[in-house]
Amino acid sequence: MAARVTFLILLFCLSAVRIRAEDPYLFFTWNVTYGTISPLGVPQQGILINNQFPGPNINSTTNNNIVINVFNNLDEPFLLTWNGVQHRKNAWQDGMPGTSCPIQPGTNFTYHFQVKDQIGSYFYFPSTAFHRAAGGFGGLRVNSRLLIPVPFADPEDDYTVLIGDWYTKSHTTLRKILDGGRSINRPDGILINGKSGNGTDKNEPLFTMKAGKTYRYRICNVGIKTSLNFRIQGHTMKLVEMDGSHTVQNTYQSLDVHVGQCYSVLVTADQEPKDYYMVASTRFLKQVLTATGLIRYENGNGPASPELPEGPTGIVWSLNQFRSFRWNLTASAARPNPQGSYHYGGINITRTIKIVNSASTVDGKLRYAINGVSHTNPETPLKLAEYYEVPDKVFKYNLISDEPTAESADKITIAPNVLNVTFRNFVEIILENHEKSIQSWHLDGYSFFAVAIEPGKWTPEKRKTYNLLDAVSRHTIQVYPGCWAAIMLTFDNAGMWNLRSTLWERNYLGQQMYFSVLSPARSLRDEYNVPDNVELCGIVKGLPKPAPYTI
């Protein structure tokens, strides 16, 4: 009997250890350097990670802990941000200038974050200076855990496709143009995984497929300015996921992918075995720029046809495609579940914030603004100033109001732009675009329900057009010229979170802001303490640490 009791106690202890065991860790060491690249046939300085352009692909699984030791061997401070990773309770790892001191030249910093309750396709990129225009980006995928069924059969292989516009001018030259008060104008070309397909690359396939097999392609627009249309010669694409959410599986001939967005599609190799082109071309520009990349069937015989499938024209086509996207409500997936989030249409809206983008000049120089305030990054990151309880020495809260004033349409104030929101409140954000160019918006730390994009100006009556049942939960949304978009979310992730234009010249010149989401409890249940390895800068350098949060 005693032996049996001992055995049961041991079994219980072993079970408890398994329950408390941490999720798996993935470790990376990244060396960030300059290197000569020629993606459009013109030699230029690019940013490489471990001598790669684009950078290494991160292949993780839900709840993995990702540890990346980044060595900055550039001649400028550097940061990486993880587009779409929510960093639950952990804004310290977001890698934006509002949350982190940059990694100084010749030093390193170790990011440590968990892809908690997420699945899907994401990417990373540099957030400082204008580094994003030089490279330093790469794919980041989060696979579903084996115990959680995926709403499609396992593909034969899984491919990351990074599409984006590109400039032959260096990032330092582009930055000087912007600092001088001018626009960087249109890009020089388009890239697919760092190649243009314009004859300057070796005509080697980017991907191979076996006849009869189905493949997953994760397509992300990592560019800095231009919406792109993606299509595959002779093949259809079944959409299965976007920005971290499984979708209703509609089939498309082509997809508009706006800056900052990622789509996953299934492609079946059901055509004659030979070569085929992937095509990425610009949208909403007078001059269409195109890049191609080869897909080769194994044991195929024959080159790809030189006749490329044409892309769509006009905004209406793209708007109708957006309306066809639906969240797959029957699919299992790892995701945070704030109370009622699956029935978001029945939650009372506690606050409506209207965001209007604008362009004007300040002292003769071009600036972009949100509700009349053009954001600038102070020397002390906003989150650190708030955590060390000295925000009043760095920035003022709530310079903008929830309803833009008539004055804010013309007059621009340059200052840090931080808006307080109440922890766990359900909020509606209206993004209204009065300009003649398309906008694309991203929110760090969250996914939101993209309930509507419509022409004209928003009024409360427009809520009748919302999709309140199965709008896709995502992190980036486009707003067409003369249109508005509505998103809804629960601000349940404590921290300092960046809402930004993903169009990087607009971002660089002020079209961004931060939401301060403070938990009144100041508890570890809601937010982690500042990590021990975080570098301090600005006015918080040398200050004693505040009392840590506890349970």
Side-chain angles (χ1 to χ4, degrees):
M1 182 67 181
R4 177 176 172 78
V5 170
T6 302
F7 172 78
L8 290 173
I9 292 172
L10 179 61
L11 187 62
F12 174 81
C13 291
L14 288 173
S15 299
V17 167
R18 282 198 298 271
I19 291 170
R20 290 196 299 266
E22 285 193 88
D23 289 293
Y25 278 71
L26 302 178
F27 294 93
F28 303 89
T29 299
W30 285 0
N31 188 26
V32 180
T33 61
Y34 290 123
T36 300
I37 56 176
S38 305
L40 292 178
V42 179
Q44 62 187 116
Q45 185 186 68
I47 293 177
L48 312 180
I49 299 178
N50 294 351
N51 292 320
Q52 297 177 45
F53 170 77
N57 195 48
I58 296 176
N59 189 23
S60 67
T61 299
T62 301
N63 292 349
N64 279 176
N65 291 281
I66 298 177
V67 182
I68 307 175
N69 192 0
V70 178
F71 288 83
N72 177 16
N73 289 298
L74 307 182
D75 56 0
E76 296 180 306
F78 182 79
L79 276 176
L80 285 169
T81 191
W82 321 92
N83 199 69
V85 176
Q86 293 179 17
H87 302 292
R88 305 294 299 179
K89 307 192 295 185
N90 197 14
W92 308 111
Q93 306 298 326
D94 195 35
M96 292 299 295
T99 59
S100 307
C101 299
I103 308 168
Q104 295 300 316
T107 68
N108 68 299
F109 176 75
T110 301
Y111 291 93
H112 180 186
F113 58 89
Q114 187 178 27
V115 283
K116 180 70 173 171
D117 296 327
Q118 289 188 260
I119 56 97
S121 309
Y122 310 98
F123 64 94
Y124 59 87
F125 66 88
S127 62
T128 41
F130 211 63
H131 292 142
R132 184 170 175 175
F137 51 76
L140 194 166
R141 68 179 63 160
V142 184
N143 303 299
S144 293
R145 301 172 78 172
L146 293 178
L147 295 176
I148 299 177
V150 174
F152 49 87
D154 288 343
E156 179 70 13
D157 211 336
D158 195 326
Y159 296 137
T160 295
V161 186
L162 304 179
I163 61 176
D165 52 14
W166 193 257
Y167 291 76
T168 54
K169 294 183 177 69
S170 70
H171 72 279
T172 53
T173 299
L174 294 173
R175 193 168 68 206
K176 287 177 182 176
I177 292 171
L178 294 173
D179 290 340
R182 296 175 291 128
S183 169
I184 59 174
N185 295 319
R186 293 175 180 171
D188 297 303
I190 307 299
L191 303 182
I192 301 177
N193 284 5
K195 301 179 184 299
S196 65
N198 63 2
T200 61
D201 314 309
K202 294 181 180 178
N203 201 28
E204 293 295 327
L206 293 178
F207 306 109
T208 58
M209 298 197 296
K210 297 177 182 176
K213 300 295 185 180
T214 297
Y215 294 78
R216 181 174 184 170
Y217 287 83
R218 301 173 187 258
I219 308 144
C220 296
N221 187 335
V222 299
I224 63 172
K225 191 166 182 173
T226 314
S227 297
L228 299 175
N229 182 269
F230 181 84
R231 50 210 184 269
I232 299 177
Q233 197 175 49
H235 295 74
T236 58
M237 300 178 289
K238 182 183 288 185
L239 182 66
V240 295
E241 176 255 332
M242 65 169 63
D243 290 350
S245 290
H246 290 132
T247 61
V248 172
Q249 295 178 12
N250 296 323
T251 299
Y252 297 90
Q253 298 289 336
S254 69
L255 285 164
D256 273 0
V257 189
H258 304 280
V259 181
Q261 295 178 346
C262 291
Y263 295 167
S264 278
V265 299
L266 297 180
V267 178
T268 299
D270 56 3
Q271 300 298 309
E272 177 189 350
K274 60 172 192 155
D275 289 356
Y276 294 89
Y277 283 121
M278 294 184 294
V279 182
S281 61
T282 55
R283 292 283 276 128
F284 318 121
L285 294 182
K286 289 182 180 178
Q287 179 187 0
V288 177
L289 301 174
T290 300
T292 59
L294 271 183
I295 297 175
R296 177 163 294 167
Y297 276 56
E298 286 191 10
N299 302 316
N301 183 20
S305 168
E307 293 185 17
L308 301 181
E310 290 188 2
T313 58
I315 290 171
V316 173
W317 185 94
S318 188
L319 183 57
N320 286 332
Q321 185 171 86
F322 166 81
R323 291 170 178 155
S324 74
F325 297 149
R326 292 290 186 268
W327 200 20
N328 189 338
L329 299 180
T330 63
S332 298
R335 49 193 169 193
N337 184 23
Q339 187 174 5
S341 69
Y342 298 155
H343 305 287
Y344 63 92
I347 305 176
N348 290 330
I349 297 168
T350 60
R351 183 178 179 184
T352 298
I353 303 171
K354 184 187 285 187
I355 299 293
V356 176
N357 49 275
S358 62
S360 189
T361 57
V362 178
D363 297 329
K365 293 185 177 182
L366 177 64
R367 295 293 300 189
Y368 297 101
I370 291 174
N371 295 6
V373 175
S374 184
H375 177 80
T376 185
N377 290 308
E379 184 182 356
T380 306
L382 308 168
K383 178 60 183 171
L384 281 171
E386 191 174 69
Y387 186 82
Y388 277 78
E389 300 178 341
V390 289
D392 55 314
K393 297 181 180 179
V394 177
F395 65 92
K396 292 181 179 179
Y397 291 104
N398 305 322
L399 290 180
I400 63 172
S401 58
D402 290 1
E403 180 71 29
T405 63
E407 183 184 27
S408 68
D410 302 312
K411 183 181 177 183
I412 287 181
T413 300
I414 299 177
N417 194 356
V418 183
L419 196 62
N420 277 321
V421 291
T422 303
F423 187 49
R424 292 184 176 147
N425 269 13
F426 188 70
V427 174
E428 170 188 56
I429 300 176
I430 309 302
L431 302 160
E432 205 166 80
N433 180 15
H434 300 167
E435 298 184 56
K436 295 180 180 180
S437 58
I438 190 170
Q439 306 293 311
S440 181
W441 293 91
H442 172 89
L443 177 60
D444 279 350
Y446 293 92
S447 60
F448 49 72
F449 297 102
V451 295
I453 303 177
E454 296 294 337
K457 293 187 177 181
W458 182 87
T459 62
E461 289 74 27
K462 302 292 187 180
R463 293 188 180 119
K464 295 176 183 177
T465 67
Y466 288 5
N467 176 359
L468 296 179
L469 176 64
D470 56 359
V472 179
S473 177
R474 57 192 311 189
H475 55 67
T476 304
I477 189 170
Q478 71 275 16
V479 190
Y480 303 103
C483 294
W484 56 268
I487 63 176
M488 304 166 84
L489 72 150
T490 301
F491 274 104
D492 63 339
N493 190 15
M496 183 76 70
W497 302 109
N498 187 234
L499 173 70
R500 61 177 174 266
S501 170
T502 65
L503 314 182
W504 220 240
E505 74 170 331
R506 300 184 74 99
N507 180 293
Y508 182 81
L509 294 180
Q511 192 174 312
Q512 58 171 305
M513 60 176 287
Y514 285 83
F515 287 114
S516 171
V517 189
L518 286 173
S519 163
R522 302 294 177 99
S523 167
L524 285 176
R525 289 192 181 94
D526 299 328
E527 187 173 15
Y528 298 141
N529 289 306
V530 60
D532 291 336
N533 70 326
V534 162
E535 185 74 22
L536 300 181
C537 56
I539 66 170
V540 301
K541 190 169 186 177
L543 290 182
K545 275 189 180 181
Y549 297 166
T550 59
I551 295 293

